[in-house]
Amino acid sequence: MATRDRVIHVTPDAYDRLEREAGRRGVPPDALAEELLAAELAPVKSDLESVLAGLAEIRSRVRGPVDAVAVVAEGREELKHRGL
């Protein structure tokens, strides 16, 4: 992939942090900036089928409908018995 030089303006504080981190890693600041930008701007791959499969697996573990009011009441009763 062909690249072109670009100028990115950052605050002096941000550049100082970039220089310190680059020094800690032993790389030039521009190489670290490129690495950080590439990681931050990389397209996020989302596999809808795997997400839906994961949700289906979670749903399969739920045993019937849940009465939220009863769950909250049970929790309050337990806290009351604990003196909280």
Side-chain angles (χ1 to χ4, degrees):
M1 174 199 293
T3 62
R4 294 187 296 185
D5 288 343
R6 299 283 189 210
V7 175
I8 298 174
H9 298 278
V10 296
T11 64
D13 181 54
Y15 189 77
D16 289 343
R17 290 192 322 264
L18 179 68
E19 281 188 315
R20 282 194 306 273
E21 182 61 18
R24 187 183 74 76
R25 295 184 187 196
V27 298
D30 58 337
L32 177 58
E34 186 175 335
E35 176 187 332
L36 295 173
L37 283 170
E40 184 65 28
L41 300 176
V44 177
K45 292 183 179 179
S46 174
D47 181 8
L48 181 58
E49 291 300 321
S50 68
V51 170
L52 292 175
L55 290 173
E57 193 275 323
I58 292 169
R59 188 173 178 193
S60 72
R61 289 186 271 152
V62 175
R63 297 185 178 123
V66 175
D67 182 353
V69 174
V71 170
V72 170
E74 288 173 18
R76 287 183 177 162
E77 191 64 30
E78 184 177 333
L79 289 174
K80 184 174 148 186
H81 287 308
R82 290 183 184 183
L84 299 174

